[in-house]
Amino acid sequence: MVPAEPSRPDRIDALQSRSYRITVDDGRESFYALSIEDPDDDDAWLMSDTVCSLESML
């Protein structure tokens, strides 16, 4: 098991979020997903199924 890196409280950068509509099975099925990402770190992201982006909830 690799230990997690400590959080970086000195950073004030905001995370980015994007919403997606993902279609599968030749268009027969689709769902919405939310991606939350650190724009400065390609390995820091989370994707989950949802209905809207964080920005649209404001």
Side-chain angles (χ1 to χ4, degrees), residues 31-47:
F31 63 94
Y32 294 95
L34 173 68
S35 172
I36 301 172
E37 306 166 5
D38 180 342
D40 297 326
D41 187 346
D42 290 338
D43 294 325
W45 57 271
L46 169 73
M47 185 171 271

Side-chain angles (χ1 to χ4, degrees), residues 7-8 12 20 22 24 30 39 43 46-47 51 53 55 57:
S7 63
R8 297 174 58 182
I12 57 172
Y20 298 91
I22 299 172
V24 295
S30 66
D43 294 325
L46 169 73
M47 185 171 271
V51 294
S53 69
E55 287 84 0
M57 296 175 67

Side-chain angles (χ1 to χ4, degrees), residues 5-18:
E5 292 184 28
S7 63
R8 297 174 58 182
D10 57 327
R11 289 186 56 187
I12 57 172
D13 301 343
L15 297 176
Q16 294 179 346
S17 71
R18 294 187 182 105

